[in-house]
Amino acid sequence: MTQLHAYRAAILHSLGDPSQVGLEDSYAYYEDGLLVVDQGIISDIGPAEAVLARLAPHTAITEFSNKLITAGFVDTHIHFPQTEMIASYGEQLLDWLNNYTFPEEGKFSDPQHAQRVASFFLEELLRNGTTTAMVFGTVHKASVEAFFTESHKRNMRMIAGKVMMDRNGPDYLLDTPESSYSDSKALIERWHKKGRQLYAVTPRFAPTSTEAQLSMAGRLLQEYDDVYLQTHLSENKQEIEWVKSLFPERAGYLDVYDHFNLLGHRSVFAHAVHLEEAECQRMADTDSVISFCPTSNLFLGSGLLDLPRVEGHGIRVGLGTDVGGAPAFLYYVPLLRLIKSSNFKNINFILLKLCIWLL
Ligand SMILES: [Zn+2]
């Protein structure tokens, strides 16, 4: 027996990527719309008048006048352990990591702390309209265990992973190539595709992993060919120079990841603000994805991604908040400010991009 429920409100939903199909064909908007749900699955949508005419009699209708129903937002880059340090301000990336991020992440060796923050974090995401996110834990296996437990309880679609980090951090946050491999493997076995949970192999960024550890990350991707990969790339010029000094035999920052077979259509690289032309081409050739985090980039003074340039190369781009480098979970208030002050011409375009990230 069907259990229909209908919701009446203004409805906005995405039909395609505006950079590919054009703005006009990229969305549908019904000022007075009706959304019909059948046992948790959308079964009909359209202008209320038209949908009412074909709706089964006696269907319950909930009215939300002056409200907008839209698809859940997808946040392609966020750190749940940084929830309690949102908007820690004003230093460049590397100092910021040492002064704010690492001490905060150290607390996640305590599973109860991890569980409490995961719960708060997921509630905040929902409150801001985000239903799917790609999430960094900490180096502690227990942090991701707690996170997936809370996400599974809420039936949210989360892609998350344990940070792999075996150098250039404080001792209390370092693992080893072997332990990062076995902990990640255990988490994949337990959580990948359990309900709506998905796993992402998560080396923090090239400077905090040895070659041995990056090899292990590549091995995990080879052994489990449907897991994701998330890391950081070319956020800041000082960081890029550091990577070049740590990996002098590689052609550049992206080539470090490429060498260990970490590129691909399930690989998401946060920031990628300062890519060279050859790197853009390689990202496109491997169908790798950029997570564009404008609020974080502006906040930490890292520069801003040249969106038309990377999309011109055919690189897929999603939006991320990168909490706590960003001032909020919420995209659109800072984005509206950004739009006003930059060359983004069309607010609709940006709002629609939020809804569309095709994995
Ligand atoms: Zn980040």
Side-chain angles (χ1 to χ4, degrees):
M1 198 184 117
T2 59
Q3 292 176 325
L4 292 178
H5 198 113
Y7 301 88
R8 189 169 187 168
I11 297 175
L12 171 72
H13 76 114
S14 300
L15 304 174
D17 185 333
S19 70
Q20 288 172 16
V21 300
L23 182 62
E24 287 304 310
D25 295 329
S26 70
Y27 69 96
Y29 175 68
Y30 315 114
E31 195 163 334
D32 178 17
L34 201 69
L35 176 81
V36 185
V37 176
D38 183 357
Q39 298 179 78
I41 308 284
I42 294 172
S43 61
D44 201 355
I45 187 171
E49 205 178 342
V51 179
L52 282 169
R54 56 183 181 251
L55 190 65
H58 311 301
T59 301
I61 299 176
T62 304
E63 305 224 355
F64 294 108
S65 54
N66 297 318
K67 296 282 194 295
L68 176 72
I69 294 175
T70 185
F73 297 145
V74 178
D75 189 333
T76 60
H77 180 65
I78 189 163
H79 301 252
F80 98 85
Q82 297 177 14
T83 302
E84 296 187 339
M85 48 170 282
I86 286 179
S88 299
Y89 183 65
E91 301 191 42
Q92 285 242 325
L93 172 69
L94 302 178
D95 295 328
W96 181 84
L97 283 173
N98 283 317
N99 294 340
Y100 296 107
T101 309
F102 291 157
E104 192 65 32
E105 290 194 6
K107 298 178 190 168
F108 285 73
S109 57
D110 172 5
Q112 283 182 343
H113 178 78
Q115 186 273 333
R116 187 180 61 74
V117 176
S119 175
F120 176 78
F121 170 87
L122 290 163
E123 291 301 316
E124 280 300 294
L125 285 191
L126 287 174
R127 218 164 57 79
N128 286 286
T130 301
T131 52
T132 294
M134 198 150 186
V135 183
F136 276 57
T138 62
V139 74
H140 313 98
K141 184 182 169 201
S143 71
V144 177
E145 190 65 46
F147 181 78
F148 276 138
T149 301
E150 290 299 313
S151 171
H152 186 57
K153 221 191 272 179
R154 292 166 176 80
N155 197 26
M156 291 170 77
R157 166 72 84 191
M158 290 289 139
I159 309 171
K162 180 207 105 74
V163 165
M164 303 170 78
M165 173 167 170
D166 66 347
R167 66 168 166 172
N168 290 323
D171 286 348
Y172 60 86
L173 279 184
L174 296 184
D175 56 11
T176 67
E178 294 72 27
S179 71
S180 67
Y181 171 79
S182 57
D183 284 353
S184 301
K185 193 176 174 75
L187 287 164
I188 292 169
E189 295 283 345
R190 182 157 155 70
W191 287 105
H192 185 57
K193 293 190 167 172
K194 180 169 179 178
R196 307 179 76 198
Q197 312 313 309
L198 297 167
Y199 196 81
V201 174
T202 309
R204 169 172 230 115
F205 68 150
T208 49
S209 287
T210 59
E211 297 205 349
Q213 186 167 63
L214 293 171
S215 295
M216 289 298 187
R219 187 171 152 193
L220 286 163
L221 293 185
Q222 202 177 30
E223 289 176 2
Y224 299 94
D225 63 4
D226 58 357
V227 299
Y228 291 78
L229 178 286
Q230 59 179 347
T231 190
H232 299 88
L233 170 68
S234 299
E235 178 172 0
N236 153 315
K237 290 189 171 159
Q238 195 188 345
E239 169 207 5
I240 295 170
E241 290 312 310
W242 192 23
V243 172
K244 286 180 176 168
S245 72
L246 290 169
F247 299 91
E249 66 286 9
R250 303 271 67 89
Y253 197 159
L254 185 69
D255 190 46
V256 175
Y257 296 134
D258 202 359
H259 179 73
F260 294 99
N261 300 314
L262 304 184
L263 277 57
H265 72 284
R266 287 195 185 83
S267 297
V268 178
F269 295 91
H271 308 304
V273 174
H274 305 285
L275 291 185
E276 293 171 14
E277 281 300 297
E279 292 180 314
C280 287
Q281 197 51 52
R282 187 65 188 145
M283 288 286 290
D285 290 346
T286 54
D287 201 23
S288 301
V289 179
I290 293 174
S291 174
F292 175 27
C293 305
T295 51
S296 166
N297 294 156
L298 292 177
F299 204 66
L300 293 178
S302 303
L304 199 58
L305 180 75
D306 185 343
L307 186 61
R309 174 180 174 238
V310 296
E311 289 196 327
H313 276 89
I315 302 171
R316 289 181 296 152
V317 180
L319 280 169
T321 53
D322 196 23
V323 158
F329 284 96
L330 196 61
Y331 296 109
Y332 49 84
V333 174
L335 269 176
L336 290 177
R337 283 217 318 265
L338 176 69
I339 291 158
K340 269 191 191 164
S341 63
S342 74
N343 58 355
F344 291 116
K345 295 284 189 298
N346 195 315
I347 290 172
N348 281 339
F349 177 86
I350 294 296
L351 290 176
L352 286 167
K353 286 293 285 187
L354 293 173
C355 307
I356 289 184
W357 186 56
L358 302 172
L359 288 171

